[in-house]
């Protein structure tokens, strides 16, 4: 026999597609030709596979070897094809009877010594195999736990090419994935830990309930980071589909925690202000790594000290935040990752970061305006909730934790408010108040009675609020009403919304 084929999976974005690796061995000068739109990693695969085969004690066929990866039109990235290539090659040369690998997806990168190394993206690859009706997969031992998360697929693992060979040839056992789920990770930070900050807590709750982006302005020690870190704890848990998508993105980034479980809590990403553009939006050679904005998909992206981020970095986030996905230019076709995230910005009021009114702050009003001005335009424009937080007073810090609401209590209100919003906008195809276009809010049946919006219209007329800001206040007013269980915002909701939008007490 001089022909064999083995199944594996290629990823395009988070979507996996079955790939057939064909090997054909013919008489002629010894050579290896790979076709089927390979990237550079696949050319390197040729050398890795050769070394691994020889170092595993197998004979390298000195014939003309043609490897073909189908479908040819599918771009193929990364090194997960190595093991399937080696198996197909040994099958084609007659060294291995490949019947045991029939309808089995084989994934893994080979080391030169014949070890099988973990690869990124195994979870979405196995999910794709399951969707294609495949019932058995063989994965690197280091990926067995995450592969086993996908129901309906029998997962076995290998640590070396030799183990795969002895399994196929002699029926020797493969490695079983670790049994059961790892113990639950400890609960994340809780709102009950936050002292004082009534305004900050309120802003966080409103942002969570309506899906609004949030900016927290205030001096060091105002608890901006503490608040931001607790936003995921009051957001609804991810449903099955979202959890699979989020876990897939973390798998592709190679950042899944050990243990093998779906990520159910909305993720929280806090890139440092020195972060590069690729680390924020994604990139890199081979299988593109999702950036922070995609790792925060269906969760929270927190930019602390936001004015310190480079102009290019802030600009690069604009498109993903607007479209809910990132497009990465690749040499062969683009890659797209989802990036529906809730943004939280934090900023000090001035570049020296000393508390407001501090005798040592010598920043001029102009310097302060310029500092926050770095955020205007691309980002600040998209943020519904902007609040100025005062420094926490000692009396608040010392108040007992017993009377503070926990995340679970707030999460209950948030879930009820989200349900009300989703029901109201279902006909328009929106789920969250933050997603509803302004024109819808300004015309019947959603237009609010004129007396209730008097203050808002006065601010628009005086120029202290932009037309865009006008719509943002309306969205917030709906969220505030939803949180209170009312079917329509009242005048007081509009006034609170103005306060949450502009940071002004009215
Ligand atoms: Zn200053």
């Amino acid at each position: 026999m001089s022909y064999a084929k083995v199944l594996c999976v290629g990823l395009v974005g988070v979507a996996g597609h079955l790939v057939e690796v064909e090997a054909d061995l013919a008489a002629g000068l010894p050579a290896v030709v790979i076709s089927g739109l390979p990237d550079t990693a696949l050319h390197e695969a040729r050398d890795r596979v050769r070394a691994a085969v020889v170092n595993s004690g197998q004979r390298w066929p000195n014939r003309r070897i043609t490897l073909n990866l189908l479908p040819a039109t599918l771009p193929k990235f990364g090194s997960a094809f190595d093991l399937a290539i080696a198996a197909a090659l040994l099958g084609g040369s007659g060294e291995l009877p490949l019947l045991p690998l029939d309808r089995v997806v084989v994934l893994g990168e080979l080391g030169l010594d014949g070890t099988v190394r973990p690869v990124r993206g195994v979870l979405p690859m196995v999910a794709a195999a399951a969707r294609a009706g495949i019932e058995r997969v063989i994965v690197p031992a280091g990926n067995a736990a995450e592969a086993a998360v996908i129901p309906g697929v029998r997962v076995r693992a290998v640590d070396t090419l030799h183990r795969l060979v002895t399994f196929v040839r002699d029926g020797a056992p493969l490695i079983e994935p670790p049994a059961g789920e790892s113990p639950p990770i400890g609960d994340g930070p809780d709102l009950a830990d936050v002292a004082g900050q009534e305004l900050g807590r309120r802003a966080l709750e409103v942002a969570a309930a309506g899906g609004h982006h949030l900016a927290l302005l205030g001096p060091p020690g105002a608890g901006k980071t503490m608040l931001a870190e607790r936003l995921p704890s009051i957001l609804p848990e991810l449903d099955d589909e979202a959890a699979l998508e989020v876990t897939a993105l973390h798998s592709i980034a190679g950042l899944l925690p050990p243990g093998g479980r779906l990520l159910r809590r909305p993720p929280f990403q806090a890139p440092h202000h020195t972060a590069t553009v690729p680390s924020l939006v994604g990139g890199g050679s081979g299988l593109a790594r999702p950036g922070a904005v995609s790792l925060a998909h269906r969760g929270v992206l927190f930019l602390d000290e936001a004015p310190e981020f480079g102009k290019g970095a802030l600009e690069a986030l604009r498109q993903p935040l607007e479209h809910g996905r990132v497009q990465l230019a690749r040499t062969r076709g683009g890659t797209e990752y989802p990036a529906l995230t809730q943004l939280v910005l934090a900023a000090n009021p001035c570049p020296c970061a000393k508390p407001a009114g501090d005798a040592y702050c010598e920043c001029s009003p102009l310097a302060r305006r310029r500092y926050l001005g770095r955020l205007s335009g691309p980002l600040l424009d998209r943020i519904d909730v902007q609040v100025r937080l005062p420094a926490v007073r000692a009396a608040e810090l010392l108040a007992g934790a017993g009377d503070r609401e926990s995340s679970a209590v707030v999460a209950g209100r948030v879930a009820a408010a989200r349900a009300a919003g989703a029901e109201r906008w279902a006909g328009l195809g929106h789920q969250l108040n933050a997603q509803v276009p302004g024109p819808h809010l300004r015309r019947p049946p959603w237009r609010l009675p004129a007396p209730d919006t008097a203050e808002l219209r006065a601010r628009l007329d005086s120029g202290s609020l932009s037309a865009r800001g006008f719509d943002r206040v309306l969205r917030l007013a709906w969220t505030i009403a939803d949180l209170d269980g009312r079917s329509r915002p009242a005048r007081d909701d509009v006034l609170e919304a103005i306060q949450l939008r502009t940071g002004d007490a009215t």
Side-chain angles (χ1 to χ4, degrees):
M1 189 173 171
S2 61
Y3 170 86
K5 72 174 181 192
V6 174
L7 289 175
C8 64
V9 175
L11 286 180
V12 178
V14 281
H17 304 269
L18 277 192
V19 169
E20 277 183 7
V21 178
E22 294 182 311
D24 182 76
L25 285 79
L29 282 178
V32 182
V33 180
I34 302 185
S35 61
L37 213 62
D39 72 343
T40 29
L42 273 177
H43 284 293
E44 291 160 12
R46 175 173 49 189
D47 303 327
R48 281 198 304 272
V49 169
R50 183 192 190 98
V53 164
V54 172
N55 291 329
S56 299
Q58 302 301 311
R59 208 167 51 83
W60 181 262
N62 273 321
R63 286 193 274 166
R64 184 179 165 78
I65 301 166
T66 306
L67 296 164
N68 191 22
L69 279 71
L70 296 169
T73 47
L74 185 82
K76 301 172 192 75
F77 304 106
S79 49
F81 305 102
D82 286 6
L83 196 56
I85 291 173
L89 198 138
L90 291 171
S93 73
E95 293 281 314
L96 272 187
L98 286 187
L99 203 60
L101 294 186
D102 189 41
R103 301 286 298 161
V104 177
V105 157
V106 178
L107 303 168
E109 178 184 311
L110 284 170
L112 301 181
D113 58 354
T115 55
V116 175
R117 293 172 174 169
V119 290
R120 292 187 283 123
V122 161
L123 184 130
M125 289 175 186
V126 175
R131 270 197 304 277
I134 297 292
E135 290 169 354
R136 290 185 298 154
V137 298
I138 295 177
V139 301
N143 297 120
E146 64 172 289
V149 167
I150 305 298
V153 184
R154 187 181 141 107
V155 175
R156 289 295 179 267
V158 289
D159 49 358
T160 59
L161 175 59
H162 183 257
R163 190 184 291 273
L164 182 70
V165 167
T166 53
F167 161 73
V168 172
R169 189 177 285 149
D170 313 319
L174 297 172
I175 302 170
E176 306 231 353
E181 294 209 332
S182 58
I185 34 170
D187 290 334
D190 196 284
L191 264 185
D193 311 333
V194 180
Q197 274 318 357
E198 284 314 306
L199 177 61
R201 293 176 70 111
R202 179 66 174 164
L204 203 67
E205 181 171 337
V206 169
H212 307 280
H213 296 321
L214 168 66
L216 301 170
L217 309 177
K224 303 187 293 285
T225 303
M226 267 191 104
L227 284 166
E229 284 172 347
R230 283 156 181 78
L231 179 52
S233 72
I234 59 172
L235 292 172
E237 259 200 359
L238 303 178
D239 61 22
D240 286 353
E241 190 191 337
L244 191 60
E245 205 173 25
V246 167
T247 313
L249 285 160
H250 287 252
S251 167
I252 295 170
L255 293 174
L256 272 188
R261 50 170 48 235
L262 283 181
L263 302 177
R264 288 282 177 185
R265 187 178 270 248
F268 180 80
Q269 289 286 314
H272 191 254
H273 60 73
T274 56
T276 61
V277 169
S279 76
L280 287 173
V281 299
S285 61
L287 186 64
R289 283 175 197 272
V293 72
S294 289
L295 294 173
H297 177 56
R298 302 214 178 259
V300 176
L301 178 68
F302 177 48
L303 303 184
D304 197 10
E305 299 186 52
E308 303 286 345
F309 279 76
K311 215 177 156 89
L314 294 176
E315 184 62 31
L317 288 172
R318 191 160 71 153
Q319 181 240 9
L321 288 172
E322 195 165 322
H323 301 288
R325 56 184 188 273
V326 183
Q327 261 146 355
L328 300 170
R330 320 288 297 160
T331 41
R332 282 173 206 277
T335 292
E336 189 177 285
Y337 288 130
L340 269 178
T341 185
Q342 195 166 356
L343 180 68
V344 179
L345 291 185
N348 296 313
C350 73
C352 81
K354 294 206 172 81
D358 189 293
Y360 297 100
C361 170
E362 293 177 347
C363 303
S364 66
L366 180 66
R368 287 164 164 259
R369 264 206 309 282
R370 267 206 199 123
Y371 189 63
L372 290 179
R374 292 186 205 171
L375 295 177
S376 61
L379 291 185
L380 222 43
D381 244 17
R382 296 187 158 67
I383 295 176
D384 290 349
V385 185
Q386 298 179 17
V387 289
R388 289 175 192 277
L389 302 178
V392 178
R393 286 190 298 272
E396 291 175 327
L397 260 182
L398 297 175
D403 28 325
R404 297 183 210 139
E405 272 187 325
S406 70
S407 288
V409 173
V410 181
R413 284 197 299 268
V414 167
R418 282 186 166 226
E423 192 185 329
R424 178 173 55 246
W425 308 123
L428 296 173
H430 304 297
Q431 289 211 308
L432 296 165
N433 292 337
Q435 299 163 340
V436 181
H440 285 303
L441 299 172
R442 281 183 263 120
R443 59 176 182 240
W446 313 114
R447 187 164 66 202
L448 302 181
D452 292 351
T453 55
E455 170 71 20
L456 185 55
R457 281 177 293 117
R459 285 184 179 240
L460 183 65
D461 290 342
S462 73
S464 71
L465 198 68
S466 66
R468 216 185 261 225
F470 184 93
D471 290 342
R472 294 188 184 284
V473 169
L474 289 178
R475 284 189 198 109
L476 288 176
W478 280 98
T479 301
I480 291 165
D482 287 342
L483 274 171
D484 207 28
R486 282 176 285 108
S487 61
R488 191 173 256 289
R491 183 170 171 276
D492 281 352
D493 300 331
V494 176
L495 294 181
E496 189 188 352
I498 291 173
Q499 190 194 351
L500 286 175
R501 165 63 191 169
T502 60
D504 296 352
T506 47

